[in-house]
Amino acid sequence: MKIFSSTNNPIIRGGAGAGKTACVTVLSKCNSSKRFLYLSFGRENTVGVKKRFGENVTSQTFHAFARKYLIDLGLLQNTNITPKIKSSDVISAAKKNNYHIDNEIAFHVIAMIDFICKNPVPISYCTHYFTGSNGGSELSVDKRQFAVDTFKYYWKYAFTDSSIPITHDMYLKRLSFCRSITVPYDIIVMDEFQDATSIMNVIATTFVSSPDYKTVRLGDPMQCVFMYQGAIGHRILKHPDIQLNKTKRCGVNITRVSNALIDKTIGHGDLVPMLPAEHEDSVEVSTLKKHAVDTDEKAAYLARYNATILKAMITLNKLDIKFSIPNSLSTGYLSKIHELIALSQNDKRCSLKKLFRSLKDFKKHATVIDDKETLLLVGIVESYGNNVEALKADLVNIDKNQTSQENARYLLSTIHQAKGATYNNVVLAADVSKLEDIKEEEVYVIYTGITRARLKLILPTKLKELLD
């Protein structure tokens, strides 16, 4: 129990592949009489590490823990759980309260729910949604009141009425209101804490402030890839009690690149530079197509955006090379690119035609709002020039070479999906940002992509300066 020698609530920062989970495994097995609760951000992580722990460890996501705890207390009877609330859900709930609202008000009610779920504030702060840059400033006073009343009604009955859909974040927020949380465990480990939201941190603080538990918060602030979902845990991990900085995953060359990324962008600050593993590795600059043609290596192709995965599927189909994707690409991307094709052909039946005169006009709009995902889709359409019928044919055969991961030459994945995974060879897509004027979150995404590689890393040309 040496990690508890100076504090009952140590914060452990571990670099990529530095043995964070191994630390928990050893801790649990050396203290078999203690009961451990292992909480993590994502389900993949809790399932993946479960077999490595001792029988004295219960492994759950924050959301699964919150749901079970509230059910046990009788505070959650609603089983109608949805990943996203729709306008029709809000309109139906409003009718139960004798309110007849339109889609505009429903949109703002959903935004208010999101606002409350992402901020450590009481429900009464829902009206603060209308202040600052949150939104709703264009609504009349009456419509704002309808929105507030509908929100309060929705929130009040969502936990008991199964006709009202509830999201995971809603019951996680509900748990954060519990001033004390009593669970049958001695030690609570919160892994991947860099991706913890402010609400998860409130729950964590409840455990940390209790004398009944020892807690461990661990993770890698450089792998915080969910800032767009409100992750704030990386700030806490930047000031650890213990640092694990020797990686067992990346060799000298890949480690040098990952350290150079930090040095050239945000600086190491309080973070100790990562020390490499002893095995040989290599770093090159190339593209997916060149790597596919010049070698017969199996590799993971990691991209920032789903649109880039779509483009890679087209490329590998033309080369007749087998690939695998961990989750089926959303049909939403396929329907959207078909809409863009119709717009480029000036098809009057295209829904976008009502808003934009041409694909060029739409591209200007996407550029103004900095919608990189959409711009990548536009780029795919533009790359075919006047021969967009060929693109249609390619999209029809998009799954031609898709196979199982075992039989595939390439695993195609976004960096977010690949978080926590390790591959011998990684080809990093060119849709990541250049280093000049790069945002902090983008640094974390690139770092996470780089450190998935164990033996060989293929960088895009725009990151060539990391080799200088």
Side-chain angles (χ1 to χ4, degrees):
M1 300 287 278
K2 289 182 179 179
I3 65 169
F4 297 116
S5 58
S6 58
T7 174
N8 281 338
N9 307 295
I11 297 172
I12 302 177
R13 183 260 173 173
K20 297 184 293 296
T21 306
C23 175
V24 180
T25 303
V26 172
L27 183 64
S28 64
K29 290 183 177 180
C30 290
N31 298 275
S32 57
S33 63
K34 301 292 183 181
R35 297 163 300 175
F36 285 73
L37 173 62
Y38 175 88
L39 297 174
S40 188
F41 180 79
R43 182 177 180 276
E44 293 80 5
N45 200 53
T46 57
V47 172
V49 302
K50 204 168 187 177
K51 294 179 180 179
R52 297 170 57 181
F53 293 148
E55 294 296 323
N56 57 327
V57 181
T58 298
S59 178
Q60 292 181 313
T61 64
F62 269 94
H63 290 100
F65 167 75
R67 182 184 177 193
K68 184 178 186 307
Y69 190 85
L70 291 177
I71 289 174
D72 290 347
L73 289 180
L75 298 175
L76 177 62
Q77 291 94 44
N78 188 356
T79 57
N80 186 8
I81 298 170
T82 180
K84 188 176 182 180
I85 297 171
K86 297 178 292 187
S87 294
S88 58
D89 300 326
V90 177
I91 292 172
S92 295
K95 285 181 180 178
K96 290 188 173 187
N97 198 29
N98 295 318
Y99 278 1
H100 297 277
I101 63 173
D102 55 19
N103 282 320
E104 180 185 28
I105 295 178
F107 168 83
H108 289 293
V109 171
I110 294 171
M112 290 168 73
I113 293 173
D114 184 61
F115 170 72
I116 286 295
C117 286
K118 284 186 176 178
N119 293 283
V121 295
I123 300 302
S124 59
Y125 270 55
C126 62
T127 55
H128 286 236
Y129 161 74
F130 296 109
T131 64
S133 59
N134 292 314
S137 58
E138 75 280 4
L139 292 182
S140 66
V141 174
D142 287 343
K143 284 190 173 183
R144 288 189 187 189
Q145 191 58 53
F146 278 134
V148 170
D149 290 344
T150 302
F151 163 79
K152 289 181 177 179
Y153 180 88
Y154 198 102
W155 188 273
K156 180 178 180 180
Y157 292 101
F159 297 90
T160 56
D161 187 347
S162 290
S163 69
I164 299 177
I166 186 174
T167 66
H168 299 287
D169 286 340
M170 287 177 70
Y171 56 75
L172 192 70
K173 173 72 176 185
R174 178 66 183 84
L175 179 63
S176 71
F177 291 144
C178 297
R179 296 192 176 184
S180 64
I181 302 174
T182 304
V183 292
Y185 302 100
D186 305 302
I187 299 173
I188 299 170
V189 178
M190 293 163 276
D191 198 2
E192 299 291 331
F193 202 76
Q194 70 273 3
D195 290 316
T197 63
S198 58
I199 304 304
M200 291 177 185
N201 188 49
V202 169
I203 296 169
T205 303
T206 304
F207 288 128
V208 172
S209 61
S210 172
D212 298 326
Y213 314 107
K214 295 180 185 293
T215 69
V216 180
R217 284 165 288 176
L218 74 159
D220 183 359
M222 290 305 303
Q223 293 186 64
C224 178
V225 296
F226 290 103
M227 286 178 67
Y228 70 95
Q229 290 186 355
I232 56 94
H234 62 291
R235 301 173 192 166
I236 295 166
L237 291 170
K238 285 184 177 179
H239 305 285
D241 298 296
I242 301 169
Q243 292 205 53
L244 306 173
N245 65 315
K246 182 173 175 59
T247 180
K248 298 175 183 177
R249 179 185 302 161
C250 309
V252 173
N253 295 295
I254 296 173
T255 301
R256 186 182 295 123
V257 167
S258 61
N259 284 331
L261 170 69
I262 301 172
D263 287 336
K264 289 177 178 290
T265 53
I266 61 176
H268 272 87
D270 295 325
L271 304 179
V272 177
M274 197 159 62
L275 298 175
E278 296 177 0
H279 63 258
E280 293 184 2
D281 66 348
S282 63
V283 181
E284 300 175 6
V285 176
S286 189
T287 63
L288 172 64
K289 185 175 182 179
K290 191 173 188 307
H291 180 267
V293 172
D294 292 350
T295 76
D296 58 0
E297 294 174 338
K298 281 193 169 188
Y301 178 74
L302 305 183
R304 179 74 173 88
Y305 301 102
N306 276 301
T308 307
I309 300 298
L310 184 66
K311 185 177 180 180
M313 293 167 72
I314 294 172
T315 298
L316 294 175
N317 268 337
K318 289 181 177 179
L319 296 172
D320 202 26
I321 292 176
K322 300 295 182 183
F323 59 82
S324 172
I325 51 177
N327 296 307
S328 297
L329 194 69
S330 169
T331 54
Y333 291 100
L334 293 176
S335 61
K336 191 168 184 178
I337 197 168
H338 278 294
E339 280 289 291
L340 295 177
I341 291 171
L343 183 61
S344 71
Q345 294 179 315
N346 201 28
D347 187 341
K348 293 181 179 179
R349 295 170 296 177
C350 172
S351 60
L352 292 175
K353 190 66 179 174
K354 299 175 183 177
L355 302 172
F356 304 97
R357 291 169 295 178
S358 64
L359 184 66
K360 185 178 180 180
D361 189 28
F362 178 79
K363 183 178 180 180
K364 287 181 180 178
H365 168 73
T367 302
V368 170
I369 64 174
D370 195 28
D371 186 348
K372 292 184 175 64
E373 185 86 65
T374 296
L375 287 171
L376 286 167
L377 290 174
V378 171
I380 294 174
V381 177
E382 289 181 332
S383 68
Y384 281 75
N386 295 324
N387 193 18
V388 290
E389 290 299 325
L391 173 55
K392 286 184 180 180
D394 288 338
L395 293 175
V396 168
N397 297 314
I398 194 71
D399 294 328
K400 184 183 72 170
N401 276 290
Q402 185 176 342
T403 185
S404 66
Q405 187 171 338
E406 294 75 21
N407 297 324
R409 168 102 182 267
Y410 288 96
L411 169 68
L412 308 180
S413 173
T414 63
I415 295 172
H416 290 80
Q417 289 173 322
K419 187 170 159 294
T422 304
Y423 311 100
N424 283 339
N425 307 310
V426 168
V427 179
L428 197 61
D431 63 351
V432 296
S433 301
K434 292 183 179 180
L435 296 187
E436 63 253 21
D437 301 321
I438 190 173
K439 295 178 181 178
E440 182 182 13
E441 182 179 3
E442 292 296 318
V443 177
Y444 297 157
V445 172
I446 295 173
Y447 172 90
T448 302
I450 287 172
T451 55
R452 298 313 91 200
R454 181 175 176 269
L455 301 178
K456 187 174 184 179
L457 173 66
I458 308 294
L459 290 173
T461 303
K462 64 172 62 176
L463 297 181
K464 185 177 180 181
E465 62 184 286
L466 293 178
L467 299 176
D468 296 342

